[in-house]
Amino acid sequence: MAKQYDVLFRLLLLGDSGVGKTCLLCRFTDNEFHPSHISTIGVDFKMKTLEIDGIKVRIQIWDTAGQERYQTITKQYYRRAQGIFLVYDITSERSFQHIMKWASDVDEYAPDKVQKILVGNKSDEEQKRQVATAQGNKLAKAYGMDFFETSAFTNHNITESFTRLAELVLQANKKDLDVLRVSINDKLNLAALEEEEGVCDSSSDAQKTCWC
Amino acid sequence: MSLLGDHESAEDGILHGNDCQRVDQYGFEQPDDLNHEIYEEMMSEYLTLLSRRSVKWSRLLKENTKVEKNLKVKRYVRKGVPNEYRALIWMAASGAQQHLQMNHGYYDSLLRGRHDHHLEQTIRTDLHRTFPDNIHFRDSSQLCLQTALFNVLLAYGHHNKDIGYCQGMNFIAGYLLIITKDEEKSFWLMDALLGRILPDYYTTAMLGLKTDQEVLGELVKVKVPGVWQAMTQHNVMWTLVVSRWFLCLYIDILPMETVLRIWDCLFYEGSKILFRVALTLIRHHQNLIQQAQNLPDICERFKLITRGEFVEDCHAFIQNIFTEPGSLSMATITKLRETCRDRIQAQESGC
């Protein structure tokens, strides 16, 4: 069976309730924007395949409920992630201040190698802005993260931010990636790159390229 | 009527609300892919059945000034409460009516008192995100239920400070308002559900929710072992597939008419019903779930099993939940809840 992708990994969207995590995701995976949608309860995910440096990357993006108490459920997913979006809303100072708390939770529960980027969403709502671009930049710099201001509404910087995080995850797993590059020329090995964790858990070959 | 406000000049890919869309009796827009012919046929059959039930209920309620708990009423509830009696039966069966009468003026006093600003803000974030597909919950609606929703949630948050506001409660309060059309009754029904009928699903630790997810896992292990194996093999945590089922009491998971029938039993018989529904869905579709190849596939199938004729035919579905999962005693549930709760607490304190 022809494989539809070479590598699979998981990204996680974190941030306060109402900052637009689900909207970012819907725009990225389906190019849709719902002016009104229901609040996310628990955890949900969507998938999309990207091509980066000739490698087909299948990403599973996990969307979480933003209310603080839901972390008791969602933090179980942190350790399964290779990349994390820390999202705030540029029209909400409070959501920006909370980034520090989200970042420290990530430090506590996510793997050490996890890649993070900072996202200030709702950039189209300039008239309601409470967080200056410079503030976002400064915070991202302090954490050593890349920073994007996005708008799910106007489709501004959506593909850019998702692709960037995917690239960072690929780079951070460079060693495994080299194994993959070799195996791309090797049909037998490529065929062994089976889907998902069920197989990954039992096959060491697959584990090299599936960072579940 | 525009849903888009000042966003009208935005780019492609923005989904516009369709003004001409059909709306059901509760104010929900019917989905585009709804097969109206099949739907109308099913509803007309169901309405005939309901009118028969209605005659029986009206006779029962004439004979008894008070709704008592007995086998006859239990049978009546399982066969469905007609919409005109729903608020009355829910209020009586859950004890909400009694609490309302004993605490006359309490609801108003909660709204008149000083309000927690943070609580207000948290609730406001979800007002626009509660049933945007229901015409009664839109700003533009003449009888906009958003204010009522805000009031009920705010009052409840002050009434029960251990819970305050938890996302998911917005949907429950929304349904209660649609059915009772009364803030105070909705408030006391929330109090019955969250304070007495359900375990501690919505508190900050959400321990009751985590417990019930595990309890369901244990029940599936015994009653539908093949599905339990598939879940284990693909490393799927129960929370991923069922947390919304429990937290939202099947709102937005199952068709509304089916959810209301489940709630009839929930108010009368208690939280055990939630397991009966979950087990019925899982057991009936066990082959479909077991054929899943990986985690996303399992999640997809858990969404599939909540759709289609099996759940849309609410009357047959409710009959199924009392046969399909087999016997399920409250003693078993209580014992499993204790075991699972201890296990979770031990795990959490060990971290």
Side-chain angles (χ1 to χ4, degrees), chain B residues 17 44 55 77 83 117 120 214 236 243 254 285 305 319 323 331:
Chain B
S44 95
V55 174
V77 169
N83 219 22
H117 178 67
E120 273 190 10
E214 294 305 307
V236 189
S243 60
L254 297 176
H285 299 95
I305 66 173
Q319 286 178 320
T323 51

Side-chain angles (χ1 to χ4, degrees), chain A residues 118-166:
Chain A
L118 182 66
V119 172
N121 192 36
K122 306 194 189 175
S123 67
D124 56 287
E125 297 200 42
E126 197 54 57
Q127 70 288 358
K128 290 200 222 154
R129 182 188 280 275
Q130 290 184 0
V131 185
T133 309
Q135 285 175 276
N137 258 320
K138 196 177 158 193
L139 185 70
K141 210 169 172 189
Y143 281 117
M145 290 188 266
D146 280 18
F147 171 58
F148 290 88
E149 280 197 349
T150 60
S151 165
F153 176 57
T154 64
N155 203 0
H156 174 60
N157 266 344
I158 304 296
T159 313
E160 288 81 353
S161 52
F162 279 84
T163 309
R164 182 60 188 148
L165 186 56

Side-chain angles (χ1 to χ4, degrees), chain A residues 17 32-38 41 44-45 62 67 69-70 72-73 76 80 94 153-154 195-196, chain B residues 4 7 10-11 13 15 118 129 163 165-167 202 209-210 235 237 239 244 247 252 294 296 303:
Chain A
S17 176
E32 281 177 359
F33 181 81
H34 303 257
S36 45
H37 66 88
I38 63 167
I41 305 293
D44 204 356
F45 71 90
W62 294 69
Q67 198 182 8
R69 71 188 65 181
Y70 275 91
T72 185
I73 294 172
Q76 302 174 64
R80 294 190 180 195
R94 190 186 170 87
F153 176 57
T154 64
E195 291 190 358
E196 313 301 344
Chain B
L4 294 172
H7 290 317
E11 294 188 7
L15 302 180
H118 182 230
R129 306 196 291 172
I163 290 179
Y165 171 70
C166 176
Q167 289 186 313
Y202 308 93
L209 172 72
K210 289 191 270 190
N235 200 12
M237 290 176 279
T239 179
R244 278 182 64 216
L247 277 173
D252 207 42
N294 48 52
K303 284 180 185 164

Side-chain angles (χ1 to χ4, degrees), chain B residues 26-41:
Chain B
Y26 307 106
F28 284 94
E29 283 171 349
Q30 293 180 332
D32 294 330
D33 56 359
L34 185 80
N35 185 326
H36 291 283
E37 220 168 285
I38 293 179
Y39 177 79
E40 300 297 342
E41 193 188 311

Side-chain angles (χ1 to χ4, degrees), chain B residues 36-316:
Chain B
H36 291 283
E37 220 168 285
I38 293 179
Y39 177 79
E40 300 297 342
E41 193 188 311
M42 202 172 66
M43 277 319 278
S44 95
E45 228 174 89
Y46 186 52
L47 288 175
T48 315
L49 184 144
L50 277 184
S51 62
R52 266 204 320 270
R53 300 307 312 161
S54 191
V55 174
K56 299 210 172 211
W57 273 103
S58 114
R59 206 174 298 148
L60 179 88
L61 293 168
K62 242 180 230 153
E63 288 163 12
N64 306 274
T65 44
K66 223 174 120 212
V67 180
E68 280 172 33
K69 286 212 166 185
N70 57 43
L71 279 176
K72 186 176 178 184
V73 178
K74 185 173 173 178
R75 197 176 71 235
Y76 271 41
V77 169
R78 287 187 177 189
K79 286 185 175 182
V81 180
N83 219 22
E84 64 266 33
Y85 296 123
R86 223 163 219 144
L88 176 79
I89 301 303
W90 288 2
M91 291 293 290
S94 66
Q97 185 62 38
Q98 202 187 347
H99 280 78
L100 186 151
Q101 280 162 352
M102 285 183 335
N103 298 281
H104 197 70
Y106 176 67
Y107 175 74
D108 287 332
S109 75
L110 286 169
L111 288 180
R112 274 198 312 271
R114 185 189 285 269
H115 298 155
D116 176 343
H117 178 67
H118 182 230
L119 177 70
E120 273 190 10
Q121 285 298 107
T122 317
I123 295 169
R124 273 191 208 288
T125 311
D126 281 339
L127 286 185
H128 292 272
R129 306 196 291 172
T130 308
F131 305 136
D133 56 341
N134 187 301
I135 55 164
H136 303 309
F137 283 87
R138 285 179 196 152
D139 294 334
S140 49
S141 152
Q142 277 189 324
L143 279 167
C144 183
L145 286 178
Q146 272 189 20
T147 313
L149 179 67
F150 178 75
N151 287 344
V152 171
L153 292 172
L154 185 68
Y156 191 81
H158 284 110
H159 165 66
N160 187 340
K161 294 207 167 61
D162 288 339
I163 290 179
Y165 171 70
C166 176
Q167 289 186 313
M169 284 162 56
N170 50 329
F171 300 121
I172 295 171
Y175 259 40
L176 293 172
L177 283 166
I178 290 171
I179 296 303
T180 64
K181 302 179 186 73
D182 184 293
E183 280 183 33
E184 193 174 16
K185 284 181 184 167
S186 299
F187 169 82
W188 287 109
L189 285 170
M190 286 285 277
D191 175 59
L193 275 175
L194 276 55
R196 299 189 294 278
I197 297 173
L198 301 170
D200 46 346
Y201 283 177
Y202 308 93
T203 51
T204 48
M206 298 184 117
L207 189 56
L209 172 72
K210 289 191 270 190
T211 302
D212 275 8
Q213 290 169 169
E214 294 305 307
V215 170
L216 179 63
E218 295 295 323
L219 291 170
V220 170
K221 191 174 175 177
V222 176
K223 289 178 182 282
V224 207
V227 168
W228 188 84
Q229 272 167 10
M231 296 288 282
T232 312
Q233 187 198 339
H234 297 300
N235 200 12
V236 189
M237 290 176 279
W238 282 98
T239 179
L240 185 57
V241 284
V242 300
S243 60
R244 278 182 64 216
W245 292 10
F246 288 135
L247 277 173
C248 299
L249 310 176
Y250 296 101
I251 296 174
D252 207 42
I253 305 285
L254 297 176
M256 179 158 187
E257 214 59 62
T258 310
V259 175
L260 294 174
R261 290 290 300 270
I262 294 168
W263 284 28
D264 291 342
C265 302
L266 178 67
F267 279 115
Y268 190 90
E269 300 186 37
S271 60
K272 194 171 80 172
I273 263 345
L274 302 179
F275 291 110
R276 284 205 167 275
V277 173
L279 286 168
T280 303
L281 290 170
I282 293 169
R283 192 167 181 278
H284 186 80
H285 299 95
Q286 52 183 312
N287 289 333
L288 182 82
I289 301 171
Q290 278 163 235
Q291 283 157 14
Q293 300 294 312
N294 48 52
L295 179 142
D297 203 9
I298 289 218
C299 296
E300 194 49 46
R301 284 163 199 245
F302 264 86
K303 284 180 185 164
L304 276 179
I305 66 173
T306 60
R307 294 173 203 149
E309 211 180 313
F310 183 63
V311 295
E312 275 158 16
D313 185 350
C314 61
H315 196 65

